[in-house]
Amino acid sequence: MAASQVESGSPEQQRPAHAPADHPVIPRPKVGVVLVNLGTPDATDYWSMRRYLNEFLSDKRVVDYPSWKWQPLLQLIILSRRPFKSGEAYRGIWNTEKNESPLLTITRDQAHKVAEGLRERHGDQILVDFCMRYGNPSTDSVLRRMQAEGCERILFFPLYPQYASPTTATANDHAFRTLMKLKWQPAIRTVPAYFEHPAYLAALANSVRETYAAAESPPEVLVASYHGVPKRFLMEGDPYHCQCQKTTRLLRERLDWEEGAIQTAFQSQFGPEEWVGPQTVDHVAELARQGKKHIAVVSPAFSADCVETLEEIQEEIRDSFLAAGGERFTYVPCLNDRDDHIQALLAIIENELGGWV
């Protein structure tokens, strides 16, 4: 911020320039950066899972059926059963040491490392925090806290490399819902999809190379598994499917592999309508039936390992491949808080902060 905006004084509390002597001190103007991820239940018990799933599955960006049709089904049938199954899945991956989900642990670590990187470059004029679209820490609580700490400008960063309305858009929606309730809104910018960013692609390629180098033998095929969406979304203009396909191609080119060495598939189908495909769980089984004995799976759409990668890919999808005749299954971890991923996030943030710092 320009020095003329505030008078000298406490590093955190200042009296506005040209204000009378009895004017109360206010927080020094700052810029905020908020990293945003999908969400996490607070615990794995039935009621914690039910609260989390109710918030998630009631989001019109996720399930856009009419409420009169969807809510009775959700409240009376789905939320009576699914919390038990989802709770079991989360218990299998739960960070028992911190009593939280791995997604929460990893996102916090990412935020800490991003904060360190920005502090080295800009001192204390940037505050960094993180929030979840569903669950805690909530978007509303984090944005309000940042405003109270003096953030007059906030960069809101959904950690989804590919844009999708059920991920990026709903995260942004929720941020703006908070702004709608504030008397004094901070200026806000949202970070666009970054699947083409060279630093992101470099980190993704590095993670594949390192996993392959550590494997006893090289996998025959790499499957890039993305979270699925209904095919209708593609027809209605959502660019997610196209951006996933392009990510696979750009990753293959970055690795300098021949066509066909990486194949695109989609996981986590939910509901009766047609989704984009092929479905990962079926595709890996077909690869086994074709004689592939060793495959690897990478998840370019997930910035942090979560239940979809730690449980669905490493258990359900792995079991599907082995049951169909496969012999070795290698998982390439998400980028998480590895240094090259943090450097990629910092490069994106620096670009998006242009003119603010």
Side-chain angles (χ1 to χ4, degrees):
M1 299 296 171
S4 61
Q5 288 184 284
V6 293
E7 294 179 352
S8 59
S10 154
E12 297 300 326
Q13 297 287 325
Q14 303 246 331
R15 185 171 291 108
H18 313 299
D22 60 349
H23 192 288
V25 294
I26 60 175
R28 177 192 293 271
K30 299 182 183 70
V31 173
V33 174
V34 182
L35 305 183
V36 192
N37 223 315
L38 182 74
T40 174
D42 294 323
T44 62
D45 62 277
Y46 173 84
W47 289 109
S48 296
M49 291 305 311
R50 182 173 177 124
R51 284 193 301 273
Y52 171 71
L53 291 170
N54 183 49
E55 184 180 11
F56 175 51
L57 296 175
S58 293
D59 185 351
K60 287 287 191 178
R61 289 284 195 180
V62 175
V63 181
D64 59 356
Y65 301 148
S67 296
W68 65 266
K69 180 186 295 186
W70 173 242
Q71 281 298 321
L73 177 64
L74 175 64
Q75 300 298 329
L76 298 177
I77 299 177
I78 296 173
L79 291 181
S80 296
R81 303 173 182 173
R82 187 156 177 171
F84 293 108
K85 182 178 180 180
S86 295
E88 182 180 0
Y90 271 96
R91 280 190 291 275
I93 66 167
W94 202 249
N95 182 343
T96 54
E97 181 180 347
K98 294 187 175 182
N99 192 27
E100 62 188 24
S101 74
L103 179 66
L104 180 57
T105 304
I106 294 167
T107 306
R108 182 189 298 111
D109 291 343
Q110 291 171 330
H112 285 166
K113 288 190 174 182
V114 166
E116 290 173 2
L118 290 174
R119 190 177 302 113
E120 290 175 0
R121 304 178 189 191
H122 303 288
D124 64 354
Q125 67 173 316
I126 299 178
L127 293 183
V128 178
D129 210 334
F130 72 97
C131 67
M132 299 291 171
R133 169 59 184 89
Y134 314 104
N136 295 303
S138 70
T139 301
D140 185 86
S141 66
V142 171
L143 290 179
R144 287 178 181 273
R145 182 168 65 248
M146 295 196 95
Q147 185 201 40
E149 292 178 359
C151 292
E152 296 182 358
R153 305 179 183 191
I154 295 176
L155 181 68
F156 193 74
F157 192 171
L159 293 175
Y160 311 114
Q162 301 80 17
Y163 174 97
S165 55
T167 54
T168 312
T170 190
N172 292 338
D173 288 347
H174 216 46
F176 289 118
R177 287 191 190 100
T178 294
L179 263 62
M180 290 171 63
K181 296 179 285 186
L182 297 178
K183 294 296 186 198
W184 184 1
Q185 295 178 335
I188 193 165
R189 290 177 179 173
T190 60
V191 176
Y194 56 96
F195 68 98
E196 296 178 291
H197 197 283
Y200 160 73
L201 291 168
L204 193 60
N206 288 340
S207 71
V208 173
R209 291 191 191 99
E210 291 170 12
T211 302
Y212 271 50
E216 293 183 9
S217 62
E220 299 164 75
V221 176
L222 175 62
V223 177
S225 182
Y226 302 84
H227 198 290
V229 293
K231 188 174 182 180
R232 171 172 52 86
F233 285 21
L234 170 63
M235 299 297 103
E236 293 172 350
D238 191 309
Y240 178 71
H241 180 265
C242 298
Q243 292 183 2
C244 291
Q245 296 285 358
K246 190 169 184 180
T247 302
T248 299
R249 176 175 64 80
L250 294 172
L251 174 60
R252 179 181 60 78
E253 292 173 355
R254 173 74 61 156
L255 290 167
D256 196 25
W257 289 0
E258 61 184 18
E259 290 193 31
I262 309 179
Q263 301 179 11
T264 299
F266 297 87
Q267 64 186 83
S268 310
Q269 180 171 333
F270 175 79
E273 66 178 303
E274 183 181 4
W275 281 42
V276 295
Q279 293 299 306
T280 307
V281 68
D282 298 328
H283 187 63
V284 298
E286 180 59 29
L287 288 174
R289 288 190 287 268
Q290 292 173 3
K292 305 298 183 185
K293 297 302 182 182
H294 185 189
I295 67 168
V297 176
V298 65
S299 302
F302 296 94
S303 63
D305 276 307
C306 54
V307 70
E308 286 86 356
T309 63
L310 299 174
E311 194 277 335
E312 186 177 359
I313 290 179
Q314 296 195 67
E315 295 186 25
E316 180 185 350
I317 291 170
R318 175 182 179 274
D319 290 349
S320 176
F321 175 69
L322 298 179
E327 296 178 359
R328 287 186 179 178
F329 183 93
T330 297
Y331 173 62
V332 181
C334 289
L335 296 179
N336 297 327
D337 66 337
R338 50 182 291 149
D339 290 343
D340 51 5
H341 186 214
I342 298 303
Q343 291 305 311
L345 299 180
L346 286 169
I348 294 165
I349 289 168
E350 290 281 7
N351 181 68
E352 298 300 324
L353 286 176
W356 277 10
V357 294

